[in-house]
């Protein structure tokens, strides 16, 4: 059983809850959507023997409480939070960090790399919702605006039901989370995150540090499409991981094995 250290960090407008487990190179796991640190619990436990794994609740999510507005712009605020958390937890001799970002967390991970390429050694970006990269970006923008309008008009269940379209109509798997953050996600994360377009020009300079990733079970889903376009624009290949969009939670053991291999510089075939 891994020892888990937990704490909170005051940042402008919020207090971030975080957990640290394991020893080795520093690895930050950034959740997406309505998820908190708990969604990475099993994955982090698997990785802890070889990494010092940091997980956290993004501001406004579960145990990371707000003491002001959520913060604007969304991406800049989220990247500031992650950078402050890393600065707070970095030990002497830890010059670089590896980052895994899921969904909206992938956008934050890419922003961290653009901001501080000397600090961020490698970014694994798993199915970021960068719909603006797609040739039918306008259609997707309209869709997410309709989901948001449905939320305001009919509430959380109706909006989440409509959102299933980007997962080929399949319901989202139940995920381990401390609290239901669906309303906050729909209010403050859905639109700003899906409107984000990564700075491909800046990323091209450090493309060798970007690992575009997607789920073997979600390769036909709309939510998978942006990472394939990102990979093409950066001259990279998409690394396939076990499971679907949330494979890190539904299949943490094989997912961790694949992620550990990627972090070590090898990418074994799934099987």
């Amino acid at each position: 059983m891994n020892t888990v250290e937990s704490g909170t960090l005051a940042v402008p407008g919020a207090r971030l809850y975080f957990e640290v487990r394991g020893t080795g190179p520093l690895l930050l796991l950034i959740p997406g959507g309505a998820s908190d640190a708990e969604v990475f619990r099993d994955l982090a436990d698997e990785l802890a023997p070889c990494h010092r794994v940091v997980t956290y609740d993004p501001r406004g999510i579960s145990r990371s409480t707000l003491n002001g507005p959520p913060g604007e712009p969304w991406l800049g605020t989220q990247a500031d939070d992650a950078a402050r958390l890393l600065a707070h937890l970095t030990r002497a001799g830890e010059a670089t960090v590896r980052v895994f970002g899921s969904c909206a967390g992938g956008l934050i991970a890419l922003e961290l790399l653009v901001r501080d390429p000397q600090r961020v050694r490698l970014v694994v970006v798993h199915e970021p919702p960068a719909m603006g990269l797609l040739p039918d970006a306008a259609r997707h923008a309209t869709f997410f605006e309709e989901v948001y309008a449905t939320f305001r008009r009919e509430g959380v269940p109706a909006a989440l039901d409509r959102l299933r379209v980007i997962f080929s109509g399949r319901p989202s798997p139940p995920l381990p989370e401390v609290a239901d953050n669906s309303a906050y996600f729909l209010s403050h994360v859905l639109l700003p995150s899906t409107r984000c377009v990564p700075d491909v020009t800046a990323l091209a300079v450090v493309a060798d540090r970007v690992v575009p990733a997607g789920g073997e079970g979600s390769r036909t889903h709309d939510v998978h499409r942006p990472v394939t376009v990102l990979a093409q624009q950066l001259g990279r290949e998409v690394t396939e991981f076990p499971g679907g969009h949330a494979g890190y939670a539904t299949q943490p053991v094989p997912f961790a094995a694949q992620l550990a291999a990627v972090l070590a510089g090898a990418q074994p075939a799934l099987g």
Side-chain angles (χ1 to χ4, degrees):
M1 190 70 171
N2 291 296
T3 300
V4 179
E5 303 173 15
S6 64
T8 61
L9 175 67
V11 295
R15 180 169 287 275
L16 302 179
Y17 172 85
F18 64 85
E19 295 179 352
V20 184
R21 45 168 69 72
T23 58
L26 190 60
L27 171 63
L28 175 65
L29 306 181
I30 308 179
S35 292
D36 53 38
E38 188 69 7
V39 81
F40 288 137
R41 179 190 58 206
D42 292 341
L43 179 69
D45 281 343
E46 291 293 323
L47 294 166
C50 297
H51 297 85
R52 192 161 77 96
V53 186
V54 176
T55 59
Y56 71 106
D57 300 352
R59 66 168 57 209
I61 296 292
S62 295
R63 296 155 291 191
S64 287
T65 55
L66 297 173
N67 52 34
E72 297 291 343
W74 176 83
L75 183 58
T77 300
Q78 294 293 330
D80 285 344
D81 286 350
R84 288 188 174 99
L85 182 60
L86 287 173
H88 176 68
L89 293 173
T90 296
R91 294 171 174 170
E94 288 180 331
T96 60
V97 61
R98 297 160 176 84
V99 184
F100 170 84
S102 149
C103 194
L107 298 169
I108 301 166
L110 290 173
E111 180 66 12
L112 286 174
L113 176 59
V114 168
R115 287 184 177 199
D116 195 355
Q118 298 302 314
R119 177 85 170 97
V120 180
R121 181 170 182 175
L122 188 74
V123 162
V124 182
V125 53
H126 189 264
E127 297 189 344
M131 301 305 195
L133 293 173
L134 302 178
D136 53 350
R139 177 176 69 84
H140 286 286
T142 298
F143 167 73
F144 288 114
E145 288 165 3
E146 290 171 351
V147 171
Y148 179 78
T150 299
F151 162 62
R152 288 301 186 194
R153 185 175 61 250
E154 303 176 36
V156 169
L160 293 181
D161 186 66
R162 188 158 193 178
L163 192 60
R164 286 164 54 174
V165 168
I166 64 169
F167 304 102
S168 296
R170 299 179 185 178
S172 299
L175 298 176
E177 293 166 347
V178 171
D180 184 352
N181 302 292
S182 299
Y184 185 88
F185 162 70
L186 292 165
S187 295
H188 302 294
V189 181
L190 175 69
L191 290 183
S193 63
T194 55
R195 288 170 176 168
C196 286
V197 179
D199 187 341
V200 177
T201 301
L203 289 170
V205 179
V206 288
D208 60 330
R209 300 189 204 174
V210 179
V211 179
E216 63 173 338
S218 51
R219 58 170 80 118
T220 62
H221 299 179
D222 279 354
V223 74
H224 183 96
R225 292 176 59 204
V227 80
T228 64
V229 175
L230 178 65
Q232 291 167 1
Q233 294 185 356
L234 295 179
R236 305 286 284 167
E237 298 292 331
V238 175
T239 297
E240 198 165 83
F241 277 73
H245 188 62
Y248 49 85
T250 60
Q251 298 188 39
V253 175
F255 198 101
Q258 176 73 330
L259 181 54
V262 168
L263 295 174
Q267 299 180 18
L270 296 172

